[in-house]
Amino acid sequence: MHLPRPSRRHVLLAGAGGLAAAALPNTAHALDVVEPDVDSTSRWKARPPQGPIDLVGKRPTMIVVHHTVSANTTDVSRAQAHAHAHWVQDLHMDENGWTDTGYHFLVSRGGWITEGRHQSLGALRSGRDFVLGAHTSGQNGAGIGIANEGAYHDGAQPPRAQWEVLVALCAYTCRQYGIAPSRIYGHKDFGDTLCPGVLHDKLPQLRSEVAARMGWVTE
């Protein structure tokens, strides 16, 4: 029987039901690892890519967390999440000259997830391959890039909704691709950048919460 994906509200309320976990070493059982509600590029009416979208040909081995250094808006609507996705895509395509949005997924301050680079969502659902992104120099062939709306320098903290949905998206991505929660990194781990700001300091908490969501047994 086909079960509908949980809504963002269900994710924020710790899920309604669960899906069977993929076999992972050190995993006891899945708790709330469900596919979160993700707005595809067609749903937020993304521009078409300026060139081909390439698949890497293997599964990713890690997640890289970013922030977009956009305004820390108080608008938590879905419409704002879509406007932010357009802003990022325009920046990456028009100013950076890239084929498409560099990140695979974006998480808004209101807790809405948008697909970034085209075909990323379908590849994630398959769990067998992923799209070549443009988010972390030297690591684009190895990692899924997840960017968070906002600027998290100077002590700014992500809103609760954004954080909880980031945890849910990371847990689902780890499950789909067999990535250990310990392999969630920040952009600054791989380059001379301040990105993702305070989110980098929160990586131990993120790894711990993702592991707990997955039922991952840590030593």
Side-chain angles (χ1 to χ4, degrees):
M1 180 177 66
H2 176 72
L3 296 177
R5 294 194 306 278
S7 67
R8 167 181 169 276
R9 176 173 173 79
H10 286 139
V11 169
L12 294 178
L13 294 175
L19 302 176
L24 294 172
N26 301 324
T27 301
H29 58 278
L31 300 179
D32 295 311
V33 181
V34 295
E35 180 182 339
D37 189 14
V38 180
D39 286 350
S40 67
T41 50
S42 62
R43 178 153 193 174
W44 61 266
K45 296 180 172 55
R47 294 162 57 184
Q50 298 182 137
I53 298 297
D54 297 321
L55 292 172
V56 176
K58 61 182 181 181
R59 302 169 98 192
T61 59
M62 62 182 174
I63 294 171
V64 184
V65 175
H66 303 260
H67 67 165
T68 62
V69 201
S70 55
N72 288 340
T73 179
T74 58
D75 185 347
V76 296
S77 67
R78 194 174 213 154
Q80 168 56 27
H82 291 187
H84 175 253
H86 280 288
W87 178 80
V88 172
Q89 187 185 41
D90 290 346
L91 176 69
H92 287 184
M93 292 175 70
D94 298 337
E95 296 194 24
N96 294 2
W98 296 347
T99 296
D100 197 0
T101 300
Y103 310 117
H104 296 93
F105 301 98
L106 301 103
V107 181
S108 80
R109 285 173 58 83
W112 302 101
I113 305 171
T114 51
E115 180 183 27
R117 184 156 290 210
H118 284 75
Q119 301 179 35
S120 296
L121 181 57
L124 173 61
R125 286 173 175 162
S126 78
R128 296 185 298 271
D129 204 342
F130 74 110
V131 169
L132 181 65
H135 57 88
T136 306
S137 180
Q139 305 301 323
N140 292 314
I144 292 288
I146 298 176
N148 296 273
E149 179 188 17
Y152 295 112
H153 301 311
D154 303 322
Q157 294 289 327
R160 179 181 175 185
Q162 184 176 41
W163 177 261
E164 291 185 353
V165 170
L166 175 62
V167 171
L169 177 58
C170 286
Y172 179 68
T173 301
C174 285
R175 190 198 73 170
Q176 288 297 97
Y177 287 129
I179 299 172
S182 60
R183 293 189 59 80
I184 300 174
Y185 299 103
H187 188 184
K188 69 185 295 183
D189 287 320
F190 303 104
D192 184 16
T193 176
L194 296 176
C195 179
V198 75
L199 289 170
H200 194 272
D201 300 330
K202 294 173 73 69
L203 286 175
Q205 179 184 349
L206 179 60
R207 295 176 187 126
S208 177
E209 291 188 23
V210 169
R213 181 70 63 94
M214 298 174 68
W216 187 275
V217 178
T218 58
E219 306 245 336

